[in-house]
Amino acid sequence: MTHNTPLSPRPLRHLSEVHRRVLTTAQLRAHGLTAAEVTEQCRPDGPWQQLLPNVVLLHPGPPTSEERLHGALLYAARESSAPGVPPQPTAETPHAPVYAEAMITGLAALTLYGFSATPPLLSLDHIDVLVPRQRRLRPTGYVRVLRTPALPAPRTVTGLPVAPVPRALADAVAELTDAEAVRRLLTEAVRAGHCEPAAVVRELTQAKLLNRPHVVDAVDSILAEGRSIAENRLYRMVAEYGLPDPVWNVDLRLPGGPHLGGLDAYWPDQAVAVELDTRAPRQDEDALWSEYARKREHLERLGITVVYITPKKLRDSLEQQAAVVRTALMASADRDPAAYVVVLPR
């Protein structure tokens, strides 16, 4: 019997080729095989092999990277409510079973997302699988089990449930001591548009990784990188959507008075300002937001409209952000004139 031999009484037509090559012992029993028959097929010179506990590879020889990934998920996924019944496909993934309460994370997940700074899947010593904290599951073979109080919503990549990029980054960084490797991963995540710096910092903070100097240095680098990317998108928004040219990167002061704050773009004739909200969610987030709020309130008391835009909004909805700024510029005609302020280069 080989993986090409039909199993009964449940046919495997609804499964993709890899799902016919990697099955759990419960699934094999559902197809009519006894435990003794499975053991016989998995003998040292037999046609099958035990890939992981209760997970069988239906051919001899080394597993492919795809088989290793599916085997890891089969090992880690919560069992179906009906024992022995394989997870059923969904409308979104008609040829793949549902892996309940398990997803690929760490370096393997980043490789699936297409990161160039991660090793090939077959060269990874282990594959990280994320499961709920309460699951009783031990690491085994090439599978490393990571636990979390609340599973994030997975992304589907090549038919597999994969942790979102910021979570996968945090799980990968947790095991890396090479400062350059950490910097490359975080930089690629931001530069290639996989996620925003703030989302990365949030996950690293929750994972308590910001007490490691090499991680902090990498975070400072991606925050600077993220601001530069956001500034370029802001320049593009003004040019592509026909907004009047502002003065860029300026400080405002009252004549002979105090400094009012720096702005990324300012339209003096309309008294409209744009500021990029590039706060990173660290311990001082509340204090930093209070500073943002105080500056905004002060400027608006002077008759200056302040539009805050996040890098994520610039990435995902540039046209909509341009409309917000255009509306503020047009509305200036209906407002009382703003107080006179001095505009200085920043």
Side-chain angles (χ1 to χ4, degrees):
M1 183 180 294
T2 70
H3 68 279
N4 293 318
T5 303
L7 299 176
S8 59
R10 278 187 168 293
L12 302 180
R13 288 190 298 272
H14 67 285
L15 297 179
S16 69
E17 184 62 26
V18 71
H19 297 110
R20 302 182 199 186
R21 300 194 303 265
V22 186
L23 293 172
T24 65
T25 53
Q27 289 171 335
L28 291 169
R29 287 196 302 271
H31 289 286
L33 275 74
T34 66
E37 287 172 327
V38 173
T39 300
E40 171 63 18
Q41 295 296 316
C42 294
R43 67 187 185 277
D45 59 343
W48 297 353
Q49 56 185 302
Q50 194 86 32
L51 184 62
L52 293 164
N54 297 316
V55 179
V56 177
L57 182 63
L58 273 64
H59 68 76
T64 66
S65 58
E66 188 180 19
E67 289 165 349
R68 293 177 86 224
L69 290 166
H70 286 279
L73 287 167
L74 282 175
Y75 169 73
R78 180 174 52 79
E79 291 183 5
S80 169
S81 57
V85 177
Q88 294 302 303
T90 66
E92 292 76 18
T93 54
H95 301 297
V98 176
Y99 299 108
E101 296 186 353
M103 63 188 72
I104 303 295
T105 189
L107 289 173
L110 298 178
T111 299
L112 286 169
Y113 279 116
F115 274 63
S116 62
T118 54
L121 288 169
L122 277 177
S123 69
L124 292 175
D125 292 332
H126 62 262
I127 291 173
D128 291 328
V129 180
L130 192 62
V131 301
R133 176 180 289 169
Q134 65 272 20
R135 292 283 308 283
R136 294 181 178 180
L137 196 65
R138 294 183 178 180
T140 186
Y142 63 86
V143 177
R144 191 172 73 146
V145 177
L146 304 182
R147 292 177 171 80
T148 181
L151 277 181
R155 298 272 303 276
T156 300
V157 183
T158 66
L160 299 169
V162 180
V165 170
R167 177 61 200 243
L169 275 171
D171 289 333
V173 166
E175 62 174 316
L176 295 176
T177 56
D178 183 341
E180 180 59 23
V182 171
R183 188 195 64 78
R184 283 199 305 268
L185 281 180
L186 300 191
T187 299
E188 183 173 356
V190 173
R191 190 173 292 172
H194 290 288
C195 57
E196 297 297 331
V200 177
V201 176
R202 185 178 300 111
E203 286 291 349
L204 294 174
T205 302
Q206 291 177 356
K208 297 180 171 54
L209 294 172
L210 290 183
N211 58 355
R212 303 182 184 183
H214 67 287
V215 176
V216 173
D217 290 345
V219 164
D220 290 341
S221 175
I222 66 164
L223 290 175
E225 178 102 13
R227 167 162 272 280
S228 176
I229 292 171
E231 287 174 347
N232 287 333
R233 287 175 180 151
L234 186 59
Y235 299 149
R236 200 177 87 215
M237 181 189 80
V238 169
E240 288 185 5
Y241 293 96
L243 298 174
D245 288 332
V247 287
W248 297 102
N249 296 313
V250 295
D251 276 321
L252 300 188
R253 293 181 182 273
L254 287 172
H259 174 243
L260 298 172
L263 297 167
D264 294 287
Y266 184 58
W267 288 263
D269 293 342
Q270 294 86 1
V272 171
V274 165
E275 183 160 12
L276 292 172
D277 181 0
T278 56
R279 291 172 299 133
R282 304 194 197 184
Q283 284 89 0
D284 58 354
E285 180 183 12
D286 290 342
L288 188 56
W289 177 243
S290 296
E291 181 184 332
Y292 271 72
R294 281 195 301 271
K295 179 166 72 172
R296 181 174 190 163
E297 289 171 5
H298 194 175
L299 291 174
E300 291 190 343
R301 281 200 301 270
L302 296 172
I304 297 171
T305 299
V306 183
V307 178
Y308 281 96
I309 302 178
T310 64
K312 186 176 188 301
K313 288 180 178 178
L314 282 175
R315 184 189 69 182
D316 297 342
S317 56
L318 199 61
E319 183 175 4
Q320 182 180 349
Q321 302 316 305
V324 170
V325 174
R326 181 178 288 106
T327 299
L329 293 171
M330 293 172 63
S332 66
D334 300 325
R335 299 197 314 266
D336 293 333
Y340 176 77
V341 295
V342 179
V343 182
L344 300 170
R346 185 162 61 174

